[in-house]
Amino acid sequence: MTNRPALISGILLAVLGSLCPFLWFALTSFKSQIQVEAIPPTWWPDGSLVFYASALVEHRLLHYVTNSLIVAGATTVVALVVATPAAYALARLRLPGKTWILGGLLCVAMFPPIVIAGPVWQILERLGGLNTHWGLILPYVSLTLPLAVWILTTFFHELPVELEEAARIDGCTTWQALYKIMLPLAAPGLFTAAILTFIYAWNEFFFALLILTDPERQTLPVGIALFQGEFIMPWGEIAAASVIATLPLIILVLLFQRGIINGLSAGAVKG
Amino acid sequence: MAFPALTFVAVFSLYPAMDSFLLSLYSDFPGPERSFVGFGHYAELLQDAVAHQAFIVTLGFVLFSTALELLMGTGIALVVHERFRGRGWVRAAVLIPWAIPTVVASQMWRFLLNDQYGAINAILFGDRVEAYVPWLADPWMAFGAIVLADVWKTSSFAGLLVLAGLQVIPEETYDAARVDGATAWQRFRYITLPLLKPALLTALLFRTIDAFRVFDLVFVMTQGGPGDATQVIQFYGYKTLFTEGRVGYGTTISVTVFVAMAILSLFYVRTVGSKLLQREPA
Amino acid sequence: MASNLRRLSSWAAGLVVAALLFNAPFAHCRDFVAEPRASSPITLHFVTWKADHPRAWDEAIQRFEQVHPHIHIKREIAPHSSTAYHDLLTQKLRNRDVSLDLFFMDVIWPAEFAAAGWALPLDEYFPQNERENFLPATIASGMYRHHIYGVPSRIDSGMLYYRKDLLEKYGFLPPATWNEMVRQAQAILVGERTAHPLLRGYSGQFKQYEGLVCDMLEFVGSHNGSFLTDDGRRSNLTASESLQAVRFVREQIIQQLATPAALTYQESESLAVFLQGNAVFHRNWPYAWGLGNDPRHSKIVGKIGVTTLPRFSEGRSTAALGGWLYGISAYSRHPDEAWAFIEFMASPEIQKHFAIHASLAPSRLALYADPEVLHANPQYKDLFPVFQTARARPRTPVYPIVSHILQRYFSRVLAFPETDIREEAEEAGRKINRFLALFRDL
């Protein structure tokens, strides 16, 4: 791939292929109702902001965004706090049967959400977790843990053992060795696990629909799905909402794309 | 130290899965009283032509979508691995589809593929509105549409994993080949590809697992139609379990999917993951 | 650190124990919690959807809370699609959710809800003489085995919308039979071809979903066919009347008038085609009238006519019955207050409010003589006979299963033109019979 024209056409293809479908949606969000359903479609919007007004005011979009930020943020924090010591233990300590634990975790990652949805609902009902944010965060943590543990384990594996041994000689406990020495070194891996967890929780629809029926607590994917009225398809509002909903993630990706890729290259593939 | 993690998984994944497995051993009818039927539902599943069709549709989906995603993903990875100005922006751009919620992405594709005001028709046929194609009305094209939407959404995820694999190939490996006069294609075929194998297999595993569980796309775009042409096994399981209320049979379908996937990934863990699992810390 | 760990693990262990111990029987305990006194404030949870006319709903509920200041209505939002709403609601009911008091039932659910014990029988609250004030078809849809489980909030039934201007231009009267409709549409399409290449003869709902069952019921019923035999115990799909009607839809409607694009249409998509001025005839529910005459949504304001659905020359016009009933959860701790809410919402005053402000067709007979209702909805006058004779879909506790079998059958024969209709009908019939048999002796 040192061939210049080939590289440029590759870049163009990748960027256009990734962005164009979404750009069309973004253009749609600035159209008027009649323009959205015009045949043949018109390319350039007349710059109407009605759909944004409707999405933000009538459908209270920002309130769903806030809920999603709370749920996805908390899921990420809890999942990492729980996954890190587990991954460290699996990577470093001589635990009996840890091969099985890792294999088992991978298996858990494969459960179809539908198969566990019913029982999870019942557990949450008994704990009083329906229609609460923590009631959604708990299963999300459980569902994202396998991947987070997997990534972090491979990451800790790559870090030199000598550093910890030195720390131990200086009198650190296992926990101190983990938090003072290993964590700063594993930052890229933590970051990768964090973004994967965050995106999962941000995007998840099925559990959120089942667990949250209180409109005050519903998350963004559910909120957008409920835009659909009984009889009309509000394409414009959905497009406007999607643009707003995607912005936080685009910013996140732009800020941290280096972190994601470095994290992955040091971690997941070594398996 | 692993205890909190294992507890979470035990309560919110393992226990529900076990519970579901038990449910799959009980009858669905009549009324709320359920009687033990052992593996009766599993025997029924073997006879269920609708389930077989759904399974074939799912396999087709897994095959086409993962193959295309690995192909596109490798292409994306090769491009963004090169050094050029603005690489960070290009990398961010190709990651955007992956960051869009599936529910939204599916609605978007339904809109793009609309038979009247869809952008795809406008691009292909312009003002010749009478030539516009109702893509989702044709069984084969509807299937192609869900594959397309999935490939668009997740190629960059595969690309990310492949890129990570590319980054650990030392640059010097190529220098020797260049001195020997190898063409770009030969370098890719005989150096890059073999060294990428672990990364490709990792991507393959995660994509296969995900593709097997495809649900949102079908739920939003086609509802399994027309004529069950896009009914994947998870959607059939959902309909049976949640809409029809056949808890026993519905969980049977999902448990079977899980077992099929577990076998597949055991195979993977043995071949690819063994290095990680067996190696002890020095 | 060790104490941290201990605290964490004891917390986690507690979670496991809690999850494992609280088993199903405990759920009943809450049924015995003492009833709060009538004077203390009560919150009723009502599963509804995001209203198409939010102001009309907000106002109705506010008025109720003014009349009953000690009752607060908390709305929970479920999806609008009937099936998705059903799936969410039944998940709650299957788990005996006591926090749920009120819900809507689509007219196809009462048998299922009654057989499962989810819906409270309303016989005492809703006596015979009160039921007589409602359209009989809507009352019948709330009945199962001589008990009533739902109070009709409105009525929906299929009707034929048409382009008044185009029919007049070509000198046609609204069609009485399907064949007449096909002939008229073809003549108009030929005449308009150059001016309007996108124009289609017919737009209806033929996607694989619940609406497909309604549309097909209307074709099959108007050919003297039916889905089930008269006693409701066996499939009647292989009767020649039923088969011929299905063949007509495949060959005349899908392949000719509507184009296969209709296989992707639910109500909203098919309505958009009509409102853009791209269909001569359109099948839909009563609400389409309001949107069709709203210039924000429609390019054919004032050009729309509506009439009863056509029939086959040897059959009777058949309109599928739709609509929503108010129901009370069998696990509700406040059935009396819940009933007060239903009584209020189904009252003539509130139904009139919805008819005028949300174009929802009332379920109460008397409102069809109300001048204000008729002024807002002049089409009701002609459609009243349709509302009185609307045809229900099969009434059985296994309706969701029967519906899935029907959806697969119809969608397959329409989407795969080479399939043998009789063979597909036989296969669907066998399955339907198997599931109907499960409830035969109950």
Side-chain angles (χ1 to χ4, degrees):
Chain A
M1 274 283 233
T2 39
N3 182 337
R4 208 67 196 167
L7 175 64
I8 290 171
S9 47
I11 293 171
L12 280 179
L13 263 178
V15 171
L16 292 181
S18 301
L19 289 187
C20 276
F22 190 65
L23 279 182
W24 175 253
F25 223 34
L27 284 178
T28 301
S29 68
F30 292 105
K31 290 179 180 172
S32 59
Q33 180 64 40
I34 292 278
Q35 236 192 337
V36 167
E37 293 179 343
I39 310 164
T42 46
W43 294 102
W44 292 110
D46 47 22
S48 154
L49 291 174
V50 279
F51 294 136
Y52 283 91
S54 163
L56 289 171
V57 180
E58 268 173 55
H59 292 291
R60 299 168 66 218
L61 187 74
L62 288 182
H63 143 94
Y64 294 120
V65 171
T66 314
N67 285 339
S68 267
L69 284 174
I70 293 171
V71 170
T75 302
T76 310
V77 171
V78 178
L80 285 191
V81 167
V82 173
T84 308
Y88 182 65
L90 288 171
R92 280 291 186 266
L93 307 179
R94 294 182 187 279
L95 278 179
K98 67 184 200 182
T99 313
W100 288 104
I101 295 178
L102 259 183
L105 280 176
L106 185 67
C107 264
V108 168
M110 291 183 298
F111 286 143
I114 288 160
V115 76
I116 58 173
V120 163
W121 198 96
Q122 288 164 355
I123 294 174
L124 288 175
E125 207 225 352
R126 281 163 216 158
L127 297 176
L130 293 178
N131 272 328
T132 66
H133 282 150
W134 63 263
L136 195 57
I137 293 165
L138 290 182
Y140 280 4
V141 169
S142 166
L143 289 168
T144 49
L145 266 178
L147 189 61
V149 171
W150 185 272
I151 289 173
L152 289 173
T153 306
T154 50
F155 218 93
F156 286 133
H157 227 301
E158 298 304 314
L159 296 178
V161 187
E162 294 76 26
L163 282 172
E164 287 165 86
E165 282 168 352
R168 292 256 178 74
I169 292 165
D170 290 347
C172 286
T173 65
T174 305
W175 283 88
Q176 284 168 330
L178 169 59
Y179 283 110
K180 292 199 174 144
I181 312 290
M182 299 299 278
L183 274 195
L185 288 173
L190 282 172
F191 185 79
T192 307
I195 190 120
L196 288 173
T197 308
F198 189 90
I199 289 187
Y200 175 90
W202 182 264
N203 288 351
E204 206 282 338
F205 172 66
F206 184 67
F207 278 90
L209 181 69
L210 276 184
I211 292 169
L212 303 176
T213 46
D214 179 350
E216 294 307 315
R217 301 215 163 72
Q218 278 164 336
T219 55
L220 194 68
V222 178
I224 295 182
L226 295 182
F227 275 22
Q228 189 161 354
E230 188 170 10
F231 302 124
I232 29 183
M233 190 68 209
W235 288 118
E237 279 92 347
I238 292 179
S242 309
V243 171
I244 298 173
T246 311
L247 278 180
L249 282 184
I250 291 179
I251 293 169
L252 211 66
V253 168
L254 269 179
L255 285 178
F256 297 117
Q257 52 90 16
R258 185 180 300 272
I260 306 176
I261 288 156
N262 291 346
L264 280 174
S265 61
V269 192
K270 292 295 173 62
Chain B
M1 290 174 100
F3 194 71
L6 294 180
T7 309
F8 259 105
V9 171
V11 175
F12 288 102
S13 297
L14 274 182
Y15 164 73
M18 289 300 156
D19 199 44
S20 283
F21 174 69
L22 287 179
L23 282 174
S24 75
L25 305 178
Y26 286 81
S27 75
D28 291 328
F29 299 107
E33 303 304 319
R34 302 182 192 282
S35 56
F36 186 76
V37 293
F39 286 88
H41 287 311
Y42 291 85
E44 192 183 340
L45 188 61
L46 286 177
Q47 307 287 323
D48 183 348
V50 181
H52 298 168
Q53 190 193 338
F55 202 71
I56 291 168
V57 171
T58 310
L59 280 182
F61 178 81
V62 171
L63 202 73
F64 282 107
S65 65
T66 48
L68 284 171
E69 279 156 23
L70 283 189
L71 205 67
M72 308 291 281
T74 309
I76 291 174
L78 287 173
V79 167
V80 299
H81 184 52
E82 292 292 313
R83 274 172 222 288
F84 53 87
R85 275 183 60 196
R87 181 172 71 169
W89 288 92
V90 173
R91 283 183 176 179
V94 298
L95 282 177
I96 282 173
W98 180 48
I100 294 176
T102 314
V103 187
V104 172
S106 322
Q107 290 285 20
M108 188 189 84
W109 279 101
R110 205 156 76 90
F111 184 62
L112 290 169
L113 292 164
N114 186 286
D115 64 299
Q116 304 248 316
Y117 38 80
I120 308 261
N121 275 323
I123 290 167
L124 291 177
F125 305 109
D127 289 345
R128 292 189 299 118
V129 286
E130 64 283 358
Y132 282 16
V133 177
W135 304 99
L136 296 175
D138 178 86
W140 287 104
M141 286 195 285
F143 176 79
I146 59 167
V147 172
L148 170 72
D150 197 63
V151 169
W152 178 77
K153 169 120 175 63
T154 39
S155 283
S156 54
F157 176 75
L160 219 66
L161 293 174
V162 176
L163 177 62
L166 280 176
Q167 287 173 333
V168 296
I169 302 177
E171 198 51 38
E172 305 81 59
T173 330
Y174 295 102
D175 296 341
R178 278 204 196 87
V179 171
D180 291 346
T183 64
W185 167 250
Q186 284 170 331
R187 290 199 299 273
F188 175 73
R189 173 68 188 79
Y190 295 104
I191 300 176
T192 314
L193 210 53
L195 289 172
L196 268 187
K197 206 173 137 197
L200 286 171
L201 282 169
T202 305
L204 182 68
L205 175 81
F206 279 106
R207 286 311 312 143
T208 308
I209 288 178
D210 239 29
F212 246 105
R213 300 184 299 181
V214 58
F215 171 78
D216 298 14
L217 266 180
V218 172
F219 184 77
V220 174
M221 282 179 72
T222 62
Q223 289 275 308
D228 281 354
T230 57
Q231 172 157 279
V232 290
I233 192 82
Q234 279 305 296
F235 186 63
Y236 182 55
Y238 170 86
K239 276 165 69 178
T240 316
L241 180 56
F242 282 87
T243 313
E244 299 179 358
R246 296 159 72 191
V247 179
Y249 193 54
T251 46
T252 300
I253 295 169
S254 287
V255 168
T256 309
V257 173
F258 166 67
V259 171
M261 281 178 2
I263 293 170
L264 205 79
S265 52
L266 259 179
F267 177 74
Y268 162 85
V269 170
R270 278 182 60 89
T271 52
V272 186
S274 52
K275 216 172 39 173
L276 168 73
L277 293 173
Q278 282 162 9
R279 202 166 58 184
E280 291 294 317
Chain C
M1 279 217 183
S3 75
N4 268 351
L5 190 62
R6 213 175 305 131
R7 218 178 307 142
L8 250 184
S9 40
S10 65
W11 169 78
L15 208 62
V16 181
V17 172
L20 298 179
L21 276 188
F22 281 82
N23 238 317
F26 282 79
H28 295 292
C29 292
R30 257 172 283 173
D31 296 356
F32 301 110
V33 173
E35 287 264 329
R37 303 253 288 281
S39 55
S40 62
I42 285 170
T43 299
L44 294 179
H45 289 256
F46 174 33
V47 179
T48 173
W49 48 67
K50 194 164 235 161
D52 273 340
H53 300 84
R55 264 172 298 250
W57 281 94
D58 290 347
E59 196 190 321
I61 288 175
Q62 266 165 23
R63 275 203 242 169
F64 171 77
E65 287 176 340
Q66 278 160 13
V67 182
H68 298 270
H70 68 291
I71 305 178
H72 171 64
I73 301 295
K74 171 93 184 138
R75 279 178 278 181
E76 300 197 10
I77 304 296
H80 243 308
S81 134
S82 163
T83 308
Y85 182 107
H86 168 272
D87 300 349
L88 190 63
L89 178 59
T90 54
Q91 166 73 13
K92 287 171 174 286
L93 293 169
R94 201 174 290 128
N95 289 293
R96 301 158 186 258
D97 185 345
V98 289
S99 72
L100 170 65
D101 304 289
L102 287 151
F103 45 71
F104 277 118
M105 281 185 284
D106 195 337
V107 291
I108 46 192
W109 305 340
E112 179 193 6
F113 281 38
W118 295 333
L120 195 71
L122 304 177
D123 304 289
E124 285 167 29
Y125 294 119
F126 193 32
Q128 187 61 41
N129 58 352
E130 179 56 27
R131 293 176 212 168
E132 280 161 11
N133 296 325
F134 288 79
L135 285 156
T138 63
I139 293 295
S141 69
M143 303 283 298
Y144 182 67
R145 294 182 189 265
H146 312 298
H147 296 288
I148 189 154
Y149 295 89
V151 179
S153 72
R154 69 187 209 220
I155 184 169
D156 272 332
S157 73
M159 42 194 60
L160 186 75
Y161 293 87
Y162 59 90
R163 286 287 296 279
K164 217 166 44 181
D165 56 329
L166 287 175
L167 261 64
E168 272 164 17
K169 179 175 169 191
Y170 288 83
F172 294 128
L173 290 172
T177 68
W178 292 112
N179 284 313
E180 208 180 324
M181 184 188 90
V182 170
R183 274 196 305 276
Q184 292 183 356
Q186 276 166 346
I188 293 173
L189 290 185
V190 169
E192 299 286 316
R193 183 158 292 155
T194 44
H196 197 160
L198 264 189
L199 190 67
R200 293 173 197 171
Y202 184 81
S203 112
Q205 300 85 39
F206 296 96
K207 186 173 171 175
Q208 186 172 1
Y209 83 117
E210 184 58 40
L212 178 62
V213 177
C214 299
D215 281 41
M216 294 307 291
L217 175 70
E218 289 159 356
F219 285 101
V220 170
S222 62
H223 201 258
N224 292 328
S226 61
F227 292 164
L228 303 185
T229 51
D230 287 342
D231 59 6
R233 295 183 157 205
R234 298 188 61 78
S235 153
N236 195 33
L237 294 173
T238 46
S240 65
E241 295 87 359
S242 309
L243 292 175
Q244 281 164 20
V246 174
R247 182 175 307 279
F248 174 86
V249 175
R250 173 156 98 183
E251 288 168 4
Q252 302 290 318
I253 301 291
I254 298 293
Q255 317 241 328
Q256 308 278 333
L257 288 197
T259 79
L263 297 173
T264 65
Y265 292 170
Q266 301 190 14
E267 280 86 350
S268 58
E269 292 91 349
S270 62
L271 178 65
V273 171
F274 185 61
L275 297 189
Q276 290 277 324
N278 292 330
V280 183
F281 296 103
H282 172 57
R283 180 266 175 218
N284 213 324
W285 309 98
Y287 77 92
W289 179 263
L291 287 175
N293 287 307
D294 176 349
R296 277 175 306 164
H297 293 282
S298 172
K299 289 184 179 167
I300 49 169
V301 176
K303 298 177 183 168
I304 304 173
V306 59
T307 182
T308 54
L309 283 166
R311 54 183 172 81
F312 288 93
S313 43
E314 59 275 24
R316 262 185 23 180
S317 167
T318 305
L321 174 73
W324 296 84
L325 309 156
Y326 294 106
I328 300 178
S329 162
Y331 311 109
S332 168
R333 281 174 279 178
H334 310 291
D336 292 337
E337 289 79 5
W339 173 255
F341 178 71
I342 293 181
E343 199 175 27
F344 183 85
M345 294 300 276
S347 66
E349 183 200 352
I350 296 297
Q351 285 209 12
K352 183 170 164 178
H353 165 79
F354 281 128
I356 293 171
H357 298 288
S359 354
L360 300 181
S363 57
R364 282 181 178 271
L365 288 161
L367 290 176
Y368 289 90
D370 184 293
E372 286 171 74
V373 170
L374 288 181
H375 178 74
N377 301 279
Q379 77 282 14
Y380 285 173
K381 218 174 138 218
D382 295 335
L383 292 172
F384 188 51
V386 182
F387 292 143
Q388 282 181 302
T389 55
R391 172 94 70 104
R393 282 160 276 173
R395 209 166 276 153
T396 155
V398 287
Y399 181 75
I401 302 178
V402 172
S403 173
H404 278 156
I405 298 168
L406 290 171
Q407 288 173 33
R408 175 182 158 87
Y409 160 52
F410 292 130
S411 188
R412 271 178 67 83
V413 296
L414 298 183
F416 297 91
E418 71 286 355
T419 46
D420 184 319
I421 296 179
R422 175 175 289 278
E423 261 174 38
E424 297 285 332
E426 278 168 1
E427 194 199 318
R430 266 195 304 275
K431 282 191 224 152
I432 289 175
N433 291 343
R434 193 183 123 214
F435 286 106
L436 289 179
L438 290 170
F439 279 85
R440 190 166 294 167
D441 308 317
L442 284 181

